[in-house]
Structure formats: C-alpha cells, structure tokens
C-alpha cells in the first residue's frame, strides 16, 4: 500500500559542509541540539526488495513461521494457565517442562519466550506482502491466545519481564501493521496479568533480582535470574505512541536503568564490561525512546556514548561484539584471547537486531551517516550470513570468529535467536531509506524499490540495482508521474574517502555532478523527472584492521564494508603486502592472496557454508 509522503517545497535549506575535523559526537549533539526533527521511516510496504539474499532470508523465515502448529505455539500458555493443552511440544527452550539445565539453557529454559516476536514478525511480514494467509494466521493466533492470558503464566517464572516485553511488541505490531484493533484489548489483558509479577523498577541481573524475588515471595526460582526488565521501556513507549494509552507512557520510565547504566554512560563512563552484551545493547533503544518521546538529553548522550564504546572498544572487524555474550574490559586483550578460547563470538540474530535498532534511532536523530556505516557492516558480515532457521527449531545463534571458525546450529531448539531472525529479516526494508520534509535519505544499498507520493501529488518510485557490496557501483532510477523537486541524499561511507586518488563519483543522467557531503551524506537537490538516473561509484579500498592495539599484527582483511574471511583454519603465514594485494577471481565472490603456504582464498561471510575459516590472520615480516 502506498502511503502519502509530503515534501514541502520550502523545506529545510541545505546544511553547509561540515568540517572534516569535527568529531562524530560533536556533530551528533550539534544536530540534536539544533532541534531538527528526527528523520521519518517509510512503511514496511513502501519498500520491496529485489531477489537476493536479504529477500530470500525474509521469505524463508516467514515460511517457517507460517508452518508452525498453532496449538503447539499456545501449549505453554495453556499449561501455565491450568487449561487443557492440545498440540505437540515444540521442543527446546519453548516448552513448558521441568528444566534440566545445560550450558545452552536446556529444554524448557524459557517457555513461550518467542511467541510475541513471531507475532511481531508475521505482522511486519503482512505489512510487506499483504498476504491474506498471513493475516488469517495472526487472527487465529490472537484468538487462541486470549483465553490463555493468565497471571498464573508469570508466577514462579524465570523471565516474566522478558516474556511480557515480547508480548507488548507483538501485540502493538499486530495492531499497527496488520490492522487488528483487538490487539490493544489483548495488550491490556496481558499487562493486567503480568504487572503484579514485574519488579517495581528496572533491575540489573543476578543479585538484585534474587533479593526482590525473595522479598515478594514470588518468582523465587533460583536456577536462573537473568530477567531483562531494563529492556522494556522501548516497547512501552512505542505502545503509548501508537495509541495504547497513557498507562504505558507512565509505566516506561520506571524501567529505565538509570543509576547503574544510563547515568554513568551519559557522563562518558564506560560501564559496559561485565554486562550481558545483547540485552544491554538492546536497552540502549529504550534510552533512545526516552529521548524521542520525552526529550531526555541524558538518555541521548548515554546511547550515543555507548555506541561509540561498543564500536571502539568491543567490536570485531565484522561489527559483531560480545564474545560469550559479554562486554569485555577495554585494553584487556579479551577480544584477542577469544580467537583461541571461544567459538561464541557474537550472538548474531539477537545482536544484529539490537544493533540495527540502535543505529536506526541514532541515524534518525542525528542524521549522521556513521550510524548507517555501522549498521551496514553488521548486516553484511553477520546476520545475512546466518544459517537458515529450520522448521524443527534448529537456529543459528553464534557467529564464530575464532582461528578455527565454522558455522553451526545452536544446541537447543528454538533459542532466542529464532525469534529475532524473522524480525530483523523483515526490518531490512525500514533500514534502507528515511525521509524528512526536504527529501529522501538512501541509507543501505540493497537492490530494492521505494514507492512514495510527493508533495505535489507525484507518484514516485526509486529503484536501486547494482553489484554492491562486491562492486562499488549502485544505479538508481526514478519513475515519476510528474516532475518533483526534492533532495536525494546518498550515504557516503567513511572508508570511501580514504584515497583522494580514487574518489567517490556521482553521475546524474550520465553527467558527473558535484554533491556536497555533510555528516556522511551527499545531497543532490533538483527538479527530478521521470527516467532520471543516478549512478554512485564508491571506491572499495582494501585495508587491514587489527584485533586490538596490543596485537597490531593480528588483522582482518576488509574491502569496503566486507570482511574477507581466510578459508583456512591453519596459520597462513602471509605478509601485509601479500594480503593487501589479494585479487578477486573473475566472476566469483572469492579473492586470492599469495602466502608462504601457497594461495590463500578469502571470501565474505555470506558465501561461507560448511568450510572452515579464520576471521583474523597473523602477519609475517615478509
């Protein structure tokens, strides 16, 4: 469905070119402080992805969810509510059974945990494909869910806040994206059932939760105390914004983890180490909502500072972070050590979902392309290379960046990443483009078509094609029912401006144009006509990125946004010059470098199947 997007002809004037020496944080705060409204998102249905890996991942995850047995999905809810439960157990984390703990959680670890996420992903999928079968399944699931809503579900339960948060998200998405008015009634019933079992304020993990649970005589299970009440404000704020009521706007601030997390982060103190990586990154989206809804500059500073800390002190070259699901002490050599002592380098679907939300919010607020650069790096080097979600619940969970890396499924069926993968696969569309009253921002160079209606009623379509990121060229073609004046802004990654001898090139209808670049976006403002063509050529420089400053000889080879993984689990004995001289094999997604052990093949994460690989290699002196 096409939504009207009005671009005022007397919109914002082009900002002057920013100084190249202006720090990223200063730029972000300057934009936010100037009072510019956040960029707006296009709808899920406004963007259609062309055939390719991103669209295939969306279709595949939707197919898995459409094939799920509905009675099996409701079984944990019914059992915990004391109702008869038809349907076969799904297995893995999802079931309501006595838990036998294992290092990976164990069967029955988190009953019904991903139900809300699958409702959310199906609703987003319906907004994309308008498939009546998808909406009908949502209607059936919500009808089955209503009689199973009970406060008994949340009593003596490991993760009441975790499950409630996912149900808030699923129900508000069903209302917003699948047009289901009843979803708000179900949300209120769910909140009534859950609220008495939630802590009064946000709690950190472990000891504080044990004390709270013991004090109220409820939720006293002592096997795991990993609930995540500190992630709830994002969806509570969104519920209020979408019309669910002031109840949720008033509830959200209670669960902002201020004293131990947002307050120190807002002051520039790095308190990330030791925290669970995914959920505490996810909590930063709550900080962004606190800013976007309530104007809290403190929470914007906290999210912006934490982003910089994650990128600069916690991340691999892939953009992934959190080996063994934990943020590490900067300067400790922990990332380097993980290359030999961990196969669990990045909690991939969950982590990429948290990262893409955070960068989406920050990009919208600051209009700084560095957040799109980071989003893109995580997209191509992590989640797009995930193994397929299986019908039986086998799920890709961890990316393995060790020296003997391989792709593998998680031990337990239906872990948390089985819920987030379908969500992030749907979200590629709303990450690709944004807009304001002045025009369109092109953030991701995924082959796709954006449809919208201009300020003078023109029906507009912008179609991207090209071989990016394997090639640096992206073509954009505009179809317009009548001429329209607006600004088209193209994200220019920071790595594309490394070599002045190989500059970024932009052509409009075959002619080179000069486009001012400010905060990572090149602006083309003109009266656009039907058939206008834009060609963007981004250089894709080869560069080496060290695992940390203490180990400058342990490096990943990066080309444009892509890490090129060495297809070996042996030390390849390769020099700096040899690695940087790797050549692409004609017509293939493979590069070859000479090494002391012979030819070394390298390829992006998306191309790896069952082969062994290394993310980092150790340089030799010659």
């Amino acid at each position: 469905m096409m939504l009207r997007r009005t671009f005022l002809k007397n919109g914002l004037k082009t900002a002057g070119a920013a100084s190249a020496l202006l720090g990223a944080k200063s730029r972000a705060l300057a934009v936010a402080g100037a009072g510019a409204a956040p960029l707006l998102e296009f709808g899920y249905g406004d963007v259609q992805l062309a055939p390719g890996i991103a669209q295939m991942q969306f279709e595949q995850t939707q197919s898995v969810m459409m094939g799920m047995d509905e009675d099996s999905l409701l079984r944990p809810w019914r059992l915990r509510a004391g109702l008869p439960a038809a349907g076969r157990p799904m297995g893995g984390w999802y079931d309501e059974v006595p838990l036998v703990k294992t290092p990976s959680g164990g069967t029955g670890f988190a009953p019904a945990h991903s139900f809300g996420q699958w409702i959310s992903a199906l609703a987003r999928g319906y907004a994309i494909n308008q498939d009546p079968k998808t909406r009908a399944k949502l209607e059936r699931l919500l009808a089955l869910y209503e009689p199973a809503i009970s406060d008994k579900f949340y009593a003596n339960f490991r993760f009441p806040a975790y499950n409630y948060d996912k149900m808030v998200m699923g129900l508000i998405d069903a209302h917003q994206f699948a047009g289901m008015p009843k979803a708000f009634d179900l949300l209120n019933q769910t909140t009534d059932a859950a609220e008495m079992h939630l802590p009064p304020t946000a709690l950190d993990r472990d000891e504080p939760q044990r004390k709270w649970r013991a004090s109220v005589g409820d939720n006293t299970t002592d096997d795991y105390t990993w609930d995540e009440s500190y992630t709830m404000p994002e969806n509570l704020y969104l519920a209020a914004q979408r019309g669910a009521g002031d109840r949720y706007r008033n509830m959200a601030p209670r669960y902002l983890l201020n004293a131990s997390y947002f307050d120190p982060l807002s002051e520039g103190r790095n308190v990330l180490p030791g925290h669970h990586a995914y959920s505490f990154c996810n909590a930063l989206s709550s900080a962004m909502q606190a800013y976007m809804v309530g104007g809290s500059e403190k929470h914007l500073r906290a999210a912006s500072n934490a982003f910089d800390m994650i990128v600069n002190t916690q991340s691999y070259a892939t953009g992934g972070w959190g080996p063994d699901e934990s943020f590490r002490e900067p300067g400790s050599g922990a990332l380097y050590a993980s290359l030999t002592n961990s196969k669990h380098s990045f909690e991939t679907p969950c982590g990429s979902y948290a990262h893409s939300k955070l960068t989406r919010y920050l990009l919208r607020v600051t209009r700084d392309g560095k957040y799109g650069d980071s989003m893109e790096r995580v997209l191509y080097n992590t989640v797009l290379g995930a193994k397929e979600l299986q019908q039986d619940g086998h799920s890709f969970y961890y990316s393995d960046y060790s020296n003997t890396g391989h792709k593998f499924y998680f031990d337990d069926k239906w872990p948390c990443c089985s819920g987030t993968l379908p969500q992030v696969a749907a979200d590629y569309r709303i990450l690709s483009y944004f807009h304001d009253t002045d025009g369109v921002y092109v953030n991701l160079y995924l082959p796709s078509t954006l449809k919208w209606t201009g300020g003078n009623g023109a029906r507009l379509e912008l179609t991207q094609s090209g071989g990016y990121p394997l090639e640096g060229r992206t073509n954009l073609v505009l179809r317009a029912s009548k001429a329209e004046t607006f600004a088209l802004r193209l994200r220019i990654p920071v790595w594309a401006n490394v070599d002045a001898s190989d500059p970024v090139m932009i052509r409009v209808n075959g002619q080179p144009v000069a486009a001012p670049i400010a905060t990572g976006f090149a602006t083309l403002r003109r009266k656009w006509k039907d058939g206008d063509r834009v060609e963007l050529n981004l250089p894709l420089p080869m560069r080496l990125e060290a695992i940390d400053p203490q180990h400058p000889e342990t490096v990943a080879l990066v080309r444009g946004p892509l890490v090129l993984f060495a297809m070996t689990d042996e030390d390849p004995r390769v020099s700096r010059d040899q690695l940087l001289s790797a050549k692409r094999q004609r017509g293939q997604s493979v590069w070859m470098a000479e090494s002391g052990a012979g030819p070394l093949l390298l390829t992006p994460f998306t191309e790896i199947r069952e082969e062994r690989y290394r993310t980092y290699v150790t340089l030799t002196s010659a």
Side-chain angles (χ1 to χ4, degrees), residues 101 203-227:
K101 290 190 297 185
L203 297 177
D204 212 324
R205 286 191 172 204
D206 302 323
E207 190 63 27
Q209 298 200 31
R210 290 195 184 95
K211 290 180 178 178
W212 170 70
R213 291 179 175 189
S215 70
V216 299
D218 191 11
N219 298 323
T220 53
T221 55
D222 197 35
D223 46 7
Y224 285 96
T225 52
W226 294 349
D227 207 8

Side-chain angles (χ1 to χ4, degrees), residues 289-363:
Q289 279 295 321
Y291 170 75
M292 297 174 80
V293 172
S296 173
E297 293 278 353
K298 176 183 79 173
H299 288 96
L300 173 59
R301 289 195 306 273
S304 175
N305 290 343
F307 168 84
D308 289 340
M309 293 167 189
I310 291 171
V311 169
N312 296 324
T313 73
Q314 303 292 331
S315 293
Y316 298 92
T318 61
W321 32 260
D324 297 311
E325 300 190 28
S326 178
F327 286 130
R328 303 304 182 91
E329 192 67 41
S332 67
L335 288 185
Y336 175 78
S338 75
L339 301 182
T340 54
N341 67 19
S342 179
K343 308 288 284 182
H344 304 157
S345 306
F346 178 49
E347 194 178 359
T348 302
C350 287
S352 64
Y353 183 56
H355 198 96
S356 65
K357 287 194 300 172
L358 175 60
T359 49
R360 186 179 88 226
Y361 285 135
L362 284 166
L363 191 156

